[in-house]
Amino acid sequence: MGMTNTTDGQIISQAQATRMWAKIGLLSFGGPAGQIALMHREVIDNRALVSEKEFLSALNFCMLLPGPEAMQLATYIGWKLHGWRGGMVAGLLFVLPGAVVLYILSLLYALYGNLPLVANLFWGVKAAVLAIVLEALLRVAKRALKQRVDYVVAALAFIALFCFGLPFPLVILVAALFGYFSASDAVATSGKAMPAASSTLKTASLWLAIWLVPLAALHLAWPGSVFAALGDFFSKLSVVTFGGAYAVLSYMGQDVVEKHHWLTAPEMMDGLGLAETTPGPLILVGQFVGFLAASKAHGSVAAGFAGGAVYLWMTFVPCFMWIFVGAPYIEWLQGNARLSSALAKVTAAVTGVILNLSIWFGLHLLFGKVERLSGPVPMWWPDLASFDVAAFVLSCLAGFALLRLHLGMAKTLAFCAALGILWKSLLPLM
């Protein structure tokens, strides 16, 4: 495709955008908080491809959808810049690097067990990601929190999630309802018309066929097989994963281990560790599940690759469907007075969500043991005796490299990865 004029007057070609999405896909460590931070830096801070309002409105919309919100946000921005082809490129490049790495790690795990060298490398990467996440939190908060009420909404969203573990969709729904009913009639509108229902129906029908016809084919070709069971399981999961990866991991783990007996509990934890330390959405842990489940059932790593492919198709095809069906409505939602106010308050709540994810990530990096307290305030609390001094020092060095020395994202990640290997390798010798 040719050059595209963006909202802020910047021009970018599809080829330039493809290189940008490839970079984001390769460096998208740290779960949704780190991925959104990286995207914000590349799309807005470095290139001003969309406005801050468009970015946050799209993020709000994606947070309300099932599936990984960061991948869907990338798909939307790609669609905004270059239509459905741009959306496909952005979404695929966000997922594929992590999928390729996880395929390799899953194969090595199936053949040789867990890999200390890989764990050490990505331990250092996670320390750098913590600095990246905190920097992004400050940037987003500065732009999203404009009124005193926005700070209150963000604080209440954080408390609801971190301290009380309330369901994410409930928190967002309450923020949206508050914004809707507190809207002023003077809120400006853009005059955007609602997209045609016929176009929406056509797009939805196409993507439903792309998603579900292969699932039906699995049942026809291999009825009762592990592939059909994986297809059913991950298709179901793709429509209930509201709140992103963290909201679905416990559900997935329980069913995978206790109901289907595809993996043992230690294997599930190892898979989560591998997914946490690779680029791409954290829910790629399901690819590890599909790989091991199929390879065990058929005694073949080739079957494992097929099981991973079933996961990828049944999980991410719906993500493209949600965006291509819903993206045309985002500008219309912005133009509606009350809906615009609702989205603004969701934006404030999302700041609290990112703070919650940042602290969750930081606690699990800096402490060896973290668990939810029981009682009326079931907040996350670390075992203070498990504090990882090395991770803290490395995170501080990453922050200094990123914020003071301005080494840039790639150099900071490489610097911390090398330090992680060095530290963990030398520690047993000391």
Side-chain angles (χ1 to χ4, degrees), residues 132-315:
I132 294 167
V133 167
L134 293 177
E135 180 199 29
L137 173 65
L138 295 175
R139 292 188 179 191
V140 171
K142 183 178 179 180
R143 293 175 171 90
L145 306 181
K146 301 182 182 300
Q147 304 173 3
R148 182 176 298 177
V149 68
D150 295 333
Y151 285 91
V152 174
V153 170
L156 291 176
F158 168 75
I159 292 170
L161 293 167
F162 184 81
C163 297
F164 296 100
L166 294 182
F168 171 82
L170 176 62
V171 173
I172 295 300
L173 177 62
V174 170
L177 290 174
F178 171 73
Y180 184 87
F181 288 108
S182 65
S184 168
D185 292 334
V187 176
T189 65
S190 65
K192 292 284 185 180
M194 180 184 291
S198 59
S199 176
T200 300
L201 182 60
K202 181 179 178 181
T203 302
S205 299
L206 173 63
W207 281 96
L208 279 171
I210 294 172
W211 175 22
L212 297 179
V213 167
L215 179 59
L218 286 176
H219 282 277
L220 290 173
W222 298 284
S225 69
V226 67
F227 300 113
L230 287 169
D232 287 342
F233 179 69
F234 289 123
S235 292
K236 175 184 173 183
L237 213 61
S238 69
V239 298
V240 300
T241 54
F242 293 96
Y246 301 112
V248 77
L249 288 177
S250 60
Y251 171 81
M252 180 194 291
Q254 185 175 2
D255 269 27
V256 164
V257 174
E258 297 179 8
K259 181 178 178 181
H260 298 287
H261 306 291
W262 287 328
L263 275 69
T264 65
E267 286 173 336
M268 187 67 202
M269 292 303 297
D270 287 341
L272 179 58
L274 292 178
E276 280 185 323
T277 54
T278 55
L282 182 55
I283 63 170
L284 280 174
V285 65
Q287 182 185 347
F288 177 84
V289 170
F291 188 99
L292 280 196
S295 62
K296 285 182 179 181
H298 292 272
S300 163
V301 293
F305 281 95
V310 170
Y311 163 79
L312 292 171
W313 191 273
M314 298 305 164
T315 298

Side-chain angles (χ1 to χ4, degrees), residues 1-2 19 26 28 30 32 57-58 97 110 162 184 221 253 257 268 281 286 288 312 340 362 370 376 385 407 420:
M1 296 182 68
R19 289 192 290 271
L26 289 168
S28 58
S57 294
F162 184 81
S184 168
V257 174
M268 187 67 202
F288 177 84
L312 292 171
S340 178
V370 182
L407 287 186

Side-chain angles (χ1 to χ4, degrees), residues 115-140:
L115 303 170
L117 179 63
V118 173
N120 295 344
L121 184 150
F122 287 118
W123 173 79
V125 167
K126 287 195 288 186
V129 169
L130 180 58
I132 294 167
V133 167
L134 293 177
E135 180 199 29
L137 173 65
L138 295 175
R139 292 188 179 191
V140 171

